[in-house]
């Protein structure tokens, strides 16, 4: 399993637990704040904000919370002074790791992330050290069902503007240009597809095979980074066997 696909599956399984712990609420609220700050508080004229609100509603974040986050972003309420950063590093076995960060204290966050890497067999790197190994793409995860065959789904996805599709164990992963992900998602939903997730992601262009202790350490590192409040997304290029 690729690091991307394996971790995407793990994240989907963890989503409900994370929501109960409030982790996903915090992350999505930050995304709404920053999106509103950069592009304004009207989702009809701010695609990033519209996507963030959609994800927040899917996570059952109350509308009042969403509205407060928008108001923090537009400056109508205090707080929400976050900056966006990209951290890069190496996991066990030389695995490339990229993180999207939102923080109100970059020095604190850098120290904490550096500690997590060191604790789990990796090290935080310099800007640009692994970014070249990833490509930004839109990702739409579709669940099997609705009487649609794999071939029919592929044709529907391509007709909707997708670039490619990959079959996983319990889902289909449809890839698009980053700016097309929402338009393709909407077209698939209109045709009765069950969309489990739609997001812009970073796909690894090369992979590193891990096994044994290194594989265990890598998964522990991914879990630790995911659980950090300032980490919005984590991408890695490891490959491990299912066991």
């Amino acid at each position: 399993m690729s690091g991307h696909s394996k971790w995407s599956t793990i994240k989907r399984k963890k989503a409900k637990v994370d929501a109960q712990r409030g982790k996903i609420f915090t992350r999505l609220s930050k995304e709404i704040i920053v999106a509103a700050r950069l592009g304004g508080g009207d989702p009809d004229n701010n695609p990033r904000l519209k996507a963030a609100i959609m994800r927040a509603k899917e996570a059952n974040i109350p509308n009042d919370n969403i509205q407060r986050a928008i108001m923090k972003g537009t400056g109508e309420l205090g707080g929400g002074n976050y900056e966006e950063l990209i951290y890069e590093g190496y996991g066990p076995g030389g695995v490339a790791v990229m993180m999207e960060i939102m923080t109100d204290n970059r020095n604190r966050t850098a120290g904490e992330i550096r500690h997590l890497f060191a604790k789990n067999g990796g090290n935080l790197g310099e800007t640009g050290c692994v970014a070249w190994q990833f490509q930004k793409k839109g990702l739409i995860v579709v669940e099997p069902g609705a009487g649609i065959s794999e071939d029919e789904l592929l044709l529907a996805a391509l007709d909707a503007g997708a670039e490619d599709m990959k079959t996983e164990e319990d889902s289909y992963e449809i890839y698009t240009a980053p700016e097309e992900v929402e338009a393709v998602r909407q077209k698939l939903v209109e045709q009765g597809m069950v969309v489990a997730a739609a997001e812009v992601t970073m796909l690894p262009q090369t992979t590193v095979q891990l096994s044994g202790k290194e594989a265990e350490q890598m998964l522990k590192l991914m879990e630790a980074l995911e659980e950090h409040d300032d980490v919005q997304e984590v991408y890695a290029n490891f490959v491990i066997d299912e066991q």
Side-chain angles (χ1 to χ4, degrees):
M1 301 287 284
S2 71
H4 167 76
S5 296
K6 179 70 174 178
W7 193 247
S8 293
T9 301
I10 292 172
K11 283 201 294 184
R12 289 200 295 275
K13 291 178 179 177
K14 281 162 54 73
K16 291 183 180 179
V17 176
D18 283 347
Q20 291 170 355
R21 291 195 300 233
K23 299 286 185 182
I24 201 167
F25 276 43
T26 300
R27 292 174 187 170
L28 291 176
S29 294
K30 284 183 179 180
E31 170 63 18
I32 291 172
I33 290 170
V34 171
R37 188 181 75 215
L38 296 177
D42 181 2
D44 290 333
N45 296 312
N46 185 342
R48 179 174 174 178
L49 178 60
K50 185 175 182 178
I53 291 173
M54 181 183 72
R55 293 177 65 188
K57 289 183 176 180
E58 289 173 351
N60 296 317
I61 295 181
N63 287 332
D64 287 348
N65 295 41
I66 293 173
Q67 190 59 39
R68 280 197 296 272
I70 293 173
M71 294 174 71
K72 285 183 179 180
T74 57
E76 297 171 74
L77 289 178
N81 187 26
Y82 298 108
E83 60 177 326
E84 292 183 286
L85 303 168
I86 299 293
Y87 285 2
E88 303 174 42
Y90 298 94
V95 169
V97 183
M98 281 189 67
M99 296 144 283
E100 295 177 4
I101 303 291
M102 285 191 190
T103 179
D104 57 3
N105 187 331
R106 64 162 63 196
N107 292 331
R108 170 186 54 78
T109 301
E112 292 173 355
I113 298 299
R114 185 174 290 108
H115 172 72
L116 292 179
F117 269 86
K119 182 180 178 181
N120 292 283
N123 61 279
L124 191 62
E126 299 296 326
T127 300
C129 67
V130 301
W132 57 275
Q133 298 187 54
F134 295 86
Q135 183 179 19
K136 182 178 285 190
K137 287 288 182 182
L139 169 65
I140 301 170
V141 180
V142 175
E143 297 180 354
I148 305 294
S149 70
E150 181 177 340
D151 289 341
E152 289 172 332
L153 176 57
L154 175 59
L155 288 175
L158 294 176
D159 287 343
E163 297 178 348
D164 198 5
M165 187 179 84
K166 185 169 68 174
T167 303
E168 294 294 340
E169 287 187 353
D170 60 351
S171 64
Y172 300 103
E173 293 189 347
I174 296 169
Y175 300 100
T176 75
E179 64 275 10
E180 294 294 325
V181 61
E182 174 57 23
V184 175
R185 183 201 71 83
Q186 184 61 41
K187 290 178 182 177
L188 293 177
V189 169
E190 290 172 356
Q191 295 181 60
M193 312 299 178
V194 181
V195 175
E199 61 188 3
V200 175
T201 188
M202 300 295 289
L203 296 182
Q205 303 303 294
T206 61
T207 56
V208 176
Q209 180 75 43
L210 294 182
S211 61
K213 182 180 179 181
E214 286 184 336
E216 293 176 2
Q217 282 185 311
M218 189 66 230
L219 287 176
K220 288 180 180 178
L221 174 59
M222 293 291 282
E223 289 177 358
L225 294 172
E226 274 285 328
E227 289 174 359
H228 193 285
D229 283 344
D230 294 342
V231 177
Q232 294 293 103
E233 297 290 348
V234 186
Y235 311 105
N237 71 338
F238 63 93
V239 178
I240 61 175
D241 62 37
E242 185 63 25
Q243 182 180 356

